[in-house]
Amino acid sequence: MARFKDLRDYLGLLKTLGDVESIDFSVSPILEAAAFTRRSTEQRRPAPLFENVEGASPGFRLLGAAGALSSIPDHPLARVALSLGLPHDISARDLVEHMVKANQAPPIPPKVVDSATAPCKQNILLGPDATLDRFPVPMVHPADGARYVNTWGVIVAKTPDGRWTNWSISRVMMLDGRHMTGLVLPQQHIGMVWKEWAELGQPMPYAIVLGGDPGVTMIGGMPVPDNVDEVALLGAIYGEPVEVVKCETVDLHVPAGAEIVIEGYVSPKRDATEGPYAEFHGWALDETSPEPIFSIEAITYRDNPIWPLSATGRPADDSQVGPAIGVSAELTALLQSAGLPVNVAWLLVDTACTWMIVTVRRDWRNALPGIETSELVHRIGTTMSTNRVGRMCPVTYVFDDDIDPSNTSDVLWALGTRVHPNLRKEQWQVEILPWYLCYTEEERHSGHGSIVVHDGLLPPMTSASPRHATFDTLYPAEIRERVLAAE
């Protein structure tokens, strides 16, 4: 199917599928819109579109949960799939396979279009007029440090030498109408790019892209390898270039169909306090950190702009879903390229992206004759331990491919019937990411801990092997047909 070039066409199709809920009564951007959004994600309701936002200029809107799990029955990944130009009813495995192929395809650089035709240039605010005061900047959680400008948008930045343009999601907090601060972690790409500018003692040009092509935010949340331009990878996913336009005040290009673009410079020093903020792991912590200041030089926006909002918290919401797809695709490609008989790797969103479920072909022994399950699991764990994306998975379970790794019910059944309580597991000491709360505080601060891989593989199949006891596997076809016809 054709991909969406802006947020409005995407919302139009979601509406036809019953996955958008327009809220016409007045809603405050201070906690209320986020509370509606949080309730929406927890109840798997349609995405809320707030048409009447208190304190905002007339026509300005808020959109919650644009990339969360869908309310469409049997198609939880519909919003993700549609964002990436794929059918809404695609399976998790087919979605990952598409991403694997795109990662292996030649990148497609963006296409620069004229500012006069770019929707994001319909309104331009410069200098003192470029203030956040007219926009519905949301307060997301009661204990947050302030209102958050960026919860579901992409920060565009490039290295001083221009070799790498990075698109990434990182939270950004409002300080006042023309200043913000946000997480610039050394382990993340925005931190790597900012470090190069800071070492020169120069402010880093940036642009924050809010709304627009829904695939932009999806790719911004995925763990793309270092020095890879997300915009070119997104072009490979689409099979066509992403249209971009030059910023007004900085030497950067942004998606032409964006709803809102904020431009300016990031200070070379950590001279502000950011946080606290309730994050994707599902915990509201009191942590703050010293971070640089984002100064605003320009804001451009479409008529009647839509400001996207992610109300992060316990899974599953936008903050886990998009990254999970990216990690799953990259790890699937890694394990398959290592010659391992892996069907798919799926980062289980329900666990706040801490459990990786790897399924292998049921006939894997034909490809690896004489190999025990422990050896196959050892090879999988070793491969993961030596790669950045593999080290992002604290716990991995390896199962046969008779289960759907994206189906939590399937996974729980396999965990209960195939994983030994304390045997058939192996661990590796690796560098870890600091935001996984399953690790001790000492491990998170040191950046070192272990990943564990569990062997949940079944013994070789024989005529006496047990079968799944389900409606589809137990009963003759004619009986199943009569039951289904009576529904």
Side-chain angles (χ1 to χ4, degrees), residues 7-28:
L7 185 61
R8 303 177 189 206
D9 288 344
Y10 169 70
L11 289 176
L13 181 54
L14 284 186
K15 284 183 179 180
T16 66
L17 296 171
D19 200 29
V20 172
E21 180 179 13
S22 290
I23 298 177
D24 296 323
F25 54 83
S26 179
V27 173
S28 172

Side-chain angles (χ1 to χ4, degrees), residues 77-292:
L77 299 174
R79 293 181 204 171
V80 179
L82 291 171
S83 295
L84 298 173
L86 300 170
H88 79 277
D89 56 355
I90 193 171
S91 69
R93 178 179 173 181
D94 289 343
L95 176 56
V96 170
E97 286 183 353
H98 180 84
M99 294 295 294
V100 169
K101 291 177 181 177
N103 282 327
Q104 297 170 343
I108 299 179
K111 176 185 177 181
V112 179
V113 300
D114 193 306
S115 293
T117 63
C120 70
K121 301 289 189 177
Q122 289 175 333
N123 301 274
I124 300 174
L125 304 174
L126 299 172
D129 294 330
T131 174
L132 296 169
D133 296 336
R134 72 182 66 195
F135 295 94
V137 182
M139 183 80 173
V140 184
H141 314 101
D144 287 353
R147 292 190 284 170
Y148 268 79
V149 174
N150 195 43
T151 59
W152 190 242
V154 164
I155 302 172
V156 179
K158 68 178 178 180
T159 54
D161 61 7
R163 73 180 188 283
W164 177 23
T165 298
N166 175 241
W167 288 9
S168 63
I169 296 179
S170 189
R171 71 193 200 210
V172 177
M173 185 181 84
M174 180 176 172
L175 295 175
D176 58 43
R178 297 199 60 204
H179 299 91
M180 308 172 290
T181 186
L183 283 187
V184 181
L185 298 177
Q187 304 93 334
Q188 293 183 310
H189 286 166
I190 186 174
M192 298 176 188
V193 175
W194 176 81
K195 180 182 178 183
E196 294 192 24
W197 288 94
E199 288 176 343
L200 296 174
Q202 298 179 16
M204 179 184 78
Y206 79 91
I208 297 178
V209 179
L210 299 167
D213 179 340
V216 169
T217 318
M218 282 293 167
I219 198 68
M222 294 181 182
V224 176
D226 298 352
N227 294 291
V228 172
D229 289 4
E230 283 82 0
V231 64
L233 175 55
L234 186 57
I237 293 171
Y238 288 152
E240 61 181 66
V242 176
E243 293 183 350
V244 298
V245 64
K246 193 176 186 306
C247 287
E248 295 294 311
T249 60
V250 294
D251 185 22
L252 295 169
H253 288 82
V254 294
E259 293 287 326
I260 303 158
V261 178
I262 303 169
E263 308 173 15
Y265 294 89
V266 183
S267 63
K269 296 182 178 180
R270 297 182 183 273
D271 35 21
T273 299
E274 192 277 338
Y277 184 78
E279 264 292 358
F280 77 97
H281 42 56
W283 294 93
L285 304 178
D286 294 330
E287 296 178 351
T288 61
S289 61
E291 302 295 345

Side-chain angles (χ1 to χ4, degrees), residues 38 41-42 140-141 277-284 310-320 349-352:
R38 185 69 234 166
T41 58
E42 292 180 3
V140 184
H141 314 101
Y277 184 78
E279 264 292 358
F280 77 97
H281 42 56
W283 294 93
S310 173
T312 51
R314 278 181 54 174
D317 60 53
D318 328 46
S319 64
Q320 302 105 10
V349 174
D350 307 72
T351 67

Side-chain angles (χ1 to χ4, degrees), residues 379-400:
R379 294 183 186 183
I380 290 172
T382 299
T383 302
M384 293 178 64
S385 70
T386 56
N387 183 273
R388 171 188 60 90
V389 72
R391 295 191 293 267
M392 295 174 67
C393 310
V395 182
T396 296
Y397 294 93
V398 182
F399 296 122
D400 294 89

